[in-house]
Amino acid sequence: MEQAPSGLKLFGSWASSYTHRVQLALKLKGLDFEYMEEDLNNKSPSLLLYNPVYKKVPVLLHLDRPIVESVIILQYIDETWTDRPIMPADPYERAVARFWCYFADDKLGPAVGAVFGLAGEDQKAAVAQVHENLKLIETELREGAFKGRRFFGGDKIGILDIVLGCGSYWLAVFDEVMEVKLVDPEAFPLFHAWLRDFEEQEEVKEIIPAIDRLLEYARGIRQMMLSLKDTPTAAAPAATTTTTTTTNDNSNVAVESGSGV
């Protein structure tokens, strides 16, 4: 890989889909970087120094200056190293890509996280919400801004592919751990086909953790969440833990300050 002029250092976590976004962008750009694995139960002084506001991963260090929040990091990478762009050249298309990135983290991600943290009828309602969000994306693929494209970015992976695709492996984990089908190929044929194509890219394969490790991790988190939920005296901590686990990069399953897949 091409050596970055002053070096790049990425603070991340092995199961964080947001960390994987940045790793994939750097790989697609051909940029070399040093990776620092964080123990999110015992955060390093460096992480707390470089991200004192949210205290979470990912953090990209470039020229000894920190950049935080995965989508902001992706845009910074693309603007700094302009070869092999991941953002569209046209201003309107850039705006569209940014909108759907926001949708992924504001709407789709929290809905997926809710499925992981719920059971019974509540979980069914959360699954229905995921499907409603996927219908919107399917419509865009069928007749909207991304009609006829192999990837959301066109012939090659772009920023929206990275945002939507990184974390897609959790869908298979959800199927196994909770026996729920979030992406039905019959209901969402275009999205399903895109997802399979995305996951077959070599750069993507390089960053996806082993499925056995993901399953073990997810089962542990799921058991903890449900046990806390069923403990009346732990009602307040349970709410906090659920929020942290499903909507925060610190837990790795879902998202950053707000949401994500």
Side-chain angles (χ1 to χ4, degrees), residues 52-67:
V53 177
Y54 292 113
K55 302 178 175 64
K56 57 187 179 62
V57 298
V59 174
L60 182 69
L61 200 64
H62 179 223
L63 301 175
D64 293 324
R65 297 179 300 185
I67 306 97

Side-chain angles (χ1 to χ4, degrees), residues 110-131:
V112 173
V115 173
F116 190 75
L118 297 172
E121 292 302 314
D122 289 339
Q123 186 184 78
K124 289 181 181 179
V127 170
Q129 186 60 57
V130 172
H131 290 166

Side-chain angles (χ1 to χ4, degrees), residues 1 17 42-43 48-49 59 61 71 82-83 89 110 112 124-125 130 134 151 178 184 192 222 234 239:
M1 301 179 79
S17 60
N42 184 25
K43 297 170 186 177
L48 299 178
L49 172 66
V59 174
L61 200 64
V71 174
T82 55
D83 290 344
V112 173
K124 289 181 181 179
V130 172
L134 289 176
F151 297 109
M178 297 178 295
D184 187 333
H192 183 269
R222 170 80 169 162

